[in-house]
Structure formats: structure tokens, C-alpha cells
Amino acid sequence: MNILVVDDEKEIADLLELYLKNENFYVFKFYSAQGVLDCVRLNNIDLAILDVMLPDSDGFTLCRQIRENHMFPILMLTAKEAETDKITGLAFGADDYITKPFRPLELVARVKAQLRRYTQYNTMPDISSNILIYQDLMLNIHTHECTLNGEVLSLTPIEFAILKILCEQKGKVVRAEQLFHKVWGDEYFNKNTNTIATHIRHLREKMGDSAEHSKYIQTVWGVGYKIGK
């Protein structure tokens, strides 16, 4: 599989390349944003790791530009602890983030988890059970496509995973911790259920829904989330 690594700190980029190559990944490595979009356009990229701070651009802009045409997983690297930076990355379409300094093995674990999830969604057999419907919302698990009122919603893999779980448990409350475990799995080291709330908010925005007058994703305060009665 092909991994894109973009980081202006040469030592970090080279370290990531070493660890990823040890796991038999092919790495496209860049120290700036220059040439990144051409690389994505010309090669079959399976996952991208983007540093937020770059000398000629920033990871948020690259993430948004990549998301215009590609839905492979994107993991953001940030040296900042501010929650707003993490939320910004998710808002631009990132699926995960990790704060520097980080443990290389943790990052590799997250890469593998994202790839397993994304591959699973795109290789499941085309059978009727792969269609989930709630009112005018439809999820096709085989094609990883979501439509609302016949219009395609552009969802990240994480957003699709959350919506899929809620639709599968239609009418039942799914605790935030359960959602976190089902979506990210045991590979996640620093669990933060605020991440779920951020993705839920983005889903609602894309669906034209709201927490106060929800037609689809309902918040059960102090418990979790559900779709349907």
C-alpha cells in the first residue's frame, strides 16, 4: 500500500518512512507542500499523513484540497496541543490526528487501523444487507456511499463509520465510549470522546440537522447517541 508523508521536519519524515517501510508500505515523502497534489493525482495513494505546519502551506489546506477528489484516510500531525487545531483538522476532512512528540509505533498502529477500516468498507460483497435505510437516509456499505433525499453526502471514512453504527443500532442508544471503541478500536492510546462529539457535529452540518431539533442523530444527554425512536 502507498502512504503519503508530508512533514517539514526532515528527521520526523525520515523516521516515519523507516517505520512504515518496515511494515512493507511504500512511502511518498515530501518536506513541503510543493508537488504533493501532483503526487496524489498521479499515484494510487491509500493513506496520507500531513503535518499541520509547512513552510509553503499548511496541512489543513492540503487536507481540504485532497478531499475535493479523494476519500482515502488522512491523519494529521500537529505540534500544538490546542483543541481548536484538532477540530480544524477534522472539519477539513481528516480522519485522525496525533500530537507531536508521538510514539512511532502508535502512529503505525493508527495507520493500520485506518487502512483496515477503509479497505473493509470498500471490499464487502454487494448484497442487499449492505444497504441501511432510515427515512430518507440511505447508506450503501459496499460502495461506501451515503445519500440523503437522493443527494450524495460527502462523508469521511470516520463519519461514515459512525453513521453506519448508529443505523445498525437503529432505535438504540450507543454510548460515546462504545462508538469510540467500534470506530477506532484498541489501537487508540489516548481515548477522547470529545472527538466523537466533533464528528457528530460535522455529520449534522452535512445532513442539515441540528442537536436542538434533530431529525436523524439524537443526543441522549449523559449517555450517547441514537438514530430513530
Side-chain angles (χ1 to χ4, degrees), residues 130-169:
N130 286 327
I131 303 295
L132 299 173
I133 298 175
Y134 174 69
Q135 295 183 10
D136 44 12
L137 176 70
M138 184 179 75
L139 279 74
N140 187 319
I141 309 303
H142 173 60
T143 61
H144 199 243
E145 184 178 69
C146 175
T147 60
L148 182 62
N149 293 315
E151 298 291 329
V152 176
L153 298 181
S154 178
L155 304 182
T156 68
I158 292 295
E159 291 169 349
F160 188 91
I162 292 173
L163 198 55
K164 171 180 174 288
I165 292 167
L166 292 176
C167 286
E168 288 174 337
Q169 300 296 318

Side-chain angles (χ1 to χ4, degrees), residues 74-215:
I74 297 176
L75 192 155
M76 303 295 296
L77 294 179
T78 174
K80 300 179 179 179
E81 291 289 348
E83 189 70 18
T84 53
D85 292 312
K86 300 172 183 179
I87 293 174
T88 300
L90 298 174
F92 278 113
D95 300 285
D96 196 1
Y97 58 82
I98 188 167
T99 302
K100 299 178 182 178
F102 57 85
R103 292 174 289 179
L105 290 178
E106 176 185 354
L107 187 141
V108 170
R110 295 194 190 191
V111 165
K112 289 182 177 180
Q114 289 289 343
L115 288 172
R116 280 198 301 271
R117 187 177 305 111
Y118 185 67
T119 301
Q120 175 187 2
Y121 289 149
N122 287 278
T123 58
M124 294 182 69
D126 189 13
I127 56 177
S128 58
S129 61
N130 286 327
I131 303 295
L132 299 173
I133 298 175
Y134 174 69
Q135 295 183 10
D136 44 12
L137 176 70
M138 184 179 75
L139 279 74
N140 187 319
I141 309 303
H142 173 60
T143 61
H144 199 243
E145 184 178 69
C146 175
T147 60
L148 182 62
N149 293 315
E151 298 291 329
V152 176
L153 298 181
S154 178
L155 304 182
T156 68
I158 292 295
E159 291 169 349
F160 188 91
I162 292 173
L163 198 55
K164 171 180 174 288
I165 292 167
L166 292 176
C167 286
E168 288 174 337
Q169 300 296 318
K170 186 167 54 179
K172 300 178 181 179
V173 179
V174 182
R175 298 184 65 87
E177 294 82 359
Q178 290 176 302
L179 271 175
F180 200 105
H181 177 74
K182 287 178 178 291
V183 172
W184 278 275
D186 294 330
E187 294 86 352
Y188 234 85
F189 288 81
N190 298 311
K191 293 181 172 61
N192 181 356
T193 52
N194 287 334
T195 302
I196 292 291
T198 299
H199 284 292
I200 292 289
R201 186 173 73 251
H202 294 158
L203 274 169
R204 284 173 170 152
E205 290 171 356
K206 292 180 178 182
M207 298 167 71
D209 208 4
S210 69
E212 295 77 14
H213 306 287
S214 177
K215 182 180 178 183

